[in-house]
Amino acid sequence: MAEIDGGRIAARQLVAAGIDTIFGVMAGPMIELFAGAQAEGLTVVSCRHEESAAFMASAWGWAKRRPGVVVAGSGPGMTNCVTSMHVATASGMPLVVLGGSTYAATRGVGGFQEADQVAFAAPGCKWTGTVDSTERIPEWLHLACGRATSGRPGAVYLDFPGQVVARRMPEEQVALRERAPEVTAPHPAPNAVERVAELLANARQPLLLVGKGAGWADAGPALARIADLGIPYVTSPMGRGVVPDDHPMFLNPARSAALAGADVIVAFGARFNWIFGFGRAPRYRADARIVQVDVEPEELFGSAPVELGVVADAAVTADAVADALAGRRLAEAHSGWTAALRQARERNEGVLAAALASDAVPIDPYRLVREVRDALPRDASLAEDGETIMGVGRVVLPSFCPRARFNAGTTGCMGTGVPYAIGAKLARPDAASVALVGDYAFGAAAMEVETAARVGIPVVFVVANNEGIAGHLIQDHMLPPGSPRIASLLPADYEKMIEMVDGHAERVERPEALRPALERALAADRPALVHVRVDPKARRLGGGNYLK
Ligand SMILES: Cc1ncc(C[n+]2csc(CCOP(=O)(O)OP(=O)(O)O)c2C)c(N)n1
């Protein structure tokens, strides 16, 4: 009678759950799981650091609306995932961390790499569990995958003590959980839909907020139906592209004016945390009437004075509101609101015009980002990471596809850009994937270029090298004069990081060389790195950086 080990059983259950790719760092006691995954036909992406592996998995999961799975070894392998779990949960990205842990027989007596891994995981996770027997591996994985993706997605942690991975059992006794429930989306109460439609119809200055939750719900087409009526919207950084950014009611470039002027706000899958200015004065009108649509009821109790909370799926609710608005006359049509916002947008865009066209050497970061914008295919996945460069990218770069835009997110975590772009490429292999990263942000995960090369995926890394953390701004203005380089970094030759793995390397020092270099990188059928020397003294226009 053929026997298989717990690692192989886990791999079979992952396949049953619709997962075809896993990420991780090879380590005991999970070697059997990696081997089982390979034997079962999964793509196994073996990374250089568990933190990056887990970021890749969460980006993959976010893009595909499936659990992103990362496998880590015991002790430090697992604790290296703690930041990524925290980031995934805060950013609502589905991540399943499978952590091998010390064999039961040596627990409590200084077993190899022993750590209280469930305790390390708990505050960063929606749910934790410990596999208690090899037989029950399928069941525990079924629970973990379900919890990572239901409600607001986030990280879950499942502990795999060594003995449950290594134990072998007769193949025919393995009971997989083949069937995942078909889950209907939570619908809004009909009277709530009517109230939202009434508020929007009577608003003189209505505004929609589009967050990551709307992306997860695939609410783009439904939200576009409301926006098509002439109701403007602004998005969170990762809510970009849910409705394509070239919709005429996309008003992120007039974000402050929109938040400050709106008399009725309906937030779809958006949270009133720092990203949306906490939903209260002074960023918002004190008398603004706020509706929040969210799948998590507790989210409705926050800093914003929410008048109506609708616990429901963003797409279903947006469709119902669009239906309820059909045929109504909108008060907004006579208020000049969208015209005023368009003027604000033009004013704000005017502030950037000179920088976007700058021919200066060293290159202005706005000029770099403009060239990235013009070179990017419409369906590209895009990850931004850094301080100055992420801020510039957020303002200048559009997105046209849902769940294809990644940035440091709710936690502002540096080191996400490189792995997010790799995870996105594996999830959306037919679309280009570009990481626009500062030199610090690149360095935080730079060895993963070897992973990209080994796995054979043509991701484009654009490194905006301004020699440091926010360029020289902190070094020159916030540290004692004459300090050694603390916030600034060496002007390293980052293109060598891709040369070492036979990738496509570009080094750009002059603005006119940007576009051809970016196009060559996008056309290269292997990982590419465009190292761009940008002005260390440049800062974000319109405030919003360390020296604001
Ligand atoms: C994990 C983590 N560590 C530290 C920070 C603090 N921090 C914010 S921005 C930044 C680096 C920004 O430099 P760079 O990536 O070179 O981009 P630039 O601002 O120069 O464009 C750091 C270290 C953070 N946000 N996240």
Side-chain angles (χ1 to χ4, degrees):
M1 191 183 303
E3 290 198 326
I4 57 173
D5 59 40
R8 186 82 182 255
I9 295 169
R12 285 195 182 165
Q13 178 60 33
L14 291 174
V15 171
I19 291 154
D20 60 18
T21 304
I22 62 167
F23 302 81
V25 173
M26 182 62 71
M30 299 301 255
I31 296 170
E32 287 90 341
L33 205 154
F34 284 103
Q38 184 61 34
E40 293 296 330
L42 286 125
T43 299
V44 180
V45 182
S46 172
C47 305
R48 303 301 295 262
H49 196 287
E50 293 83 356
E51 180 181 294
S52 293
F55 285 145
M56 285 179 211
S58 55
W60 185 92
W62 171 247
K64 292 191 81 91
R65 294 182 92 239
R66 285 194 216 152
V69 177
V70 65
V71 181
S74 51
M78 178 275 161
T79 60
N80 274 349
C81 297
V82 167
T83 296
S84 315
M85 292 192 276
H86 163 58
V87 171
T89 299
S91 282
M93 300 165 84
L95 174 65
V96 175
V97 180
L98 309 182
S101 63
T102 310
Y103 284 70
T106 54
R107 265 179 205 236
V109 291
F112 177 62
Q113 294 184 331
E114 182 175 1
D116 190 351
Q117 297 178 190
V118 174
F120 275 112
C125 285
K126 293 178 70 178
W127 175 89
T128 63
T130 301
V131 181
D132 46 15
S133 69
T134 306
E135 286 82 352
R136 293 194 68 218
I137 286 174
E139 181 133 87
W140 282 107
L141 279 170
H142 177 74
L143 299 182
C145 291
R147 275 153 178 81
T149 48
S150 53
R152 178 188 302 138
V156 301
Y157 175 68
L158 188 55
D159 202 64
F160 275 78
Q163 74 280 358
V164 304
V165 185
R167 215 194 103 212
R168 301 176 71 80
M169 57 181 278
E171 198 168 358
E172 56 280 5
Q173 286 175 18
V174 175
L176 296 182
R177 291 294 304 259
E178 304 269 11
R179 180 174 206 150
E182 190 184 327
V183 180
T184 62
H187 279 49
N191 64 345
V193 171
E194 196 51 37
R195 277 177 68 188
V196 177
E198 197 66 24
L199 277 167
L200 283 173
N202 292 322
R204 295 186 63 78
Q205 311 203 142
L207 182 68
L208 311 179
L209 303 184
V210 179
K212 288 194 284 280
W216 183 252
D218 267 338
L223 287 166
R225 289 181 62 206
I226 307 179
D228 287 346
L229 301 172
I231 298 179
Y233 68 93
V234 299
T235 79
S236 68
M238 283 178 59
R240 298 286 289 276
V242 175
V243 181
D245 278 1
D246 50 1
H247 192 287
M249 288 297 122
F250 170 71
L251 279 154
N252 278 34
R255 190 173 187 272
S256 297
L259 298 185
D263 60 353
V264 169
I265 292 169
V266 184
F268 287 92
R271 290 170 289 171
F272 289 105
N273 53 26
W274 65 277
I275 288 184
F276 274 118
F278 301 106
R280 62 186 178 202
R283 297 286 305 280
Y284 291 68
R285 279 166 56 154
D287 64 350
R289 301 184 69 179
I290 299 180
V291 177
Q292 189 172 3
V293 180
D294 204 288
V295 284
E296 294 294 342
E298 60 263 37
E299 194 54 52
L300 308 170
F301 295 82
S303 70
V306 173
E307 175 176 327
L308 175 64
V310 183
V311 181
D313 177 82
V316 175
T317 308
D319 255 330
V321 170
D323 288 345
L325 280 171
R328 290 201 212 206
R329 284 161 61 95
L330 301 188
E332 178 279 336
H334 310 290
S335 70
W337 166 235
T338 50
L341 290 180
R342 287 209 179 104
Q343 276 170 13
R345 174 167 73 191
E346 274 159 33
R347 266 197 313 278
N348 292 342
E349 286 174 348
V351 172
L352 309 181
L356 291 171
S358 167
D359 285 328
V361 178
I363 294 170
D364 188 303
Y366 283 88
R367 175 66 191 268
L368 161 61
V369 174
R370 182 193 117 187
E371 300 291 346
V372 173
R373 179 191 70 190
D374 294 347
L376 268 186
R378 192 174 165 88
D379 63 347
S381 301
L382 175 63
E384 303 144 315
D385 192 8
E387 211 283 326
T388 308
I389 201 64
M390 184 172 74
V392 176
R394 200 178 61 224
V395 170
V396 178
L397 296 173
S399 278
F400 303 104
C401 298
R403 297 188 315 281
R405 184 68 172 259
F406 299 83
N407 87 352
T410 313
T411 63
C413 185
M414 302 293 103
T416 46
V418 166
Y420 278 173
I422 295 173
K425 182 68 191 173
L426 286 156
R428 305 178 70 237
D430 296 335
S433 185
V434 173
L436 174 67
V437 291
D439 48 326
Y440 173 85
F442 176 65
M447 268 316 290
E448 302 302 341
V449 301
E450 190 272 334
T451 306
R454 183 163 28 83
V455 177
I457 46 169
V459 178
V460 177
F461 306 102
V462 179
V463 181
N465 181 3
N466 58 6
E467 296 179 15
I469 295 170
H472 285 184
L473 295 187
I474 299 173
Q475 182 74 32
D476 290 353
H477 300 281
M478 299 176 82
L479 293 176
S483 297
R485 285 183 187 260
I486 296 173
S488 76
L489 306 171
L490 292 176
D493 296 332
Y494 290 103
E495 65 276 15
K496 292 188 176 157
M497 290 291 294
I498 203 86
E499 284 169 2
M500 74 182 184
V501 291
D502 279 336
H504 176 88
E506 299 274 353
R507 179 190 179 92
V508 182
E509 305 202 8
R510 301 192 59 84
E512 64 277 11
L514 279 166
R515 184 72 186 266
L518 288 164
E519 281 174 356
R520 284 191 296 271
L522 282 162
D525 204 16
R526 54 201 169 126
L529 190 150
V530 184
H531 171 204
V532 184
R533 299 298 309 274
V534 297
D535 185 359
K537 296 198 183 306
R539 55 177 77 180
R540 281 152 64 182
L541 301 172
N545 60 35
Y546 275 130
L547 300 183
K548 69 177 171 256

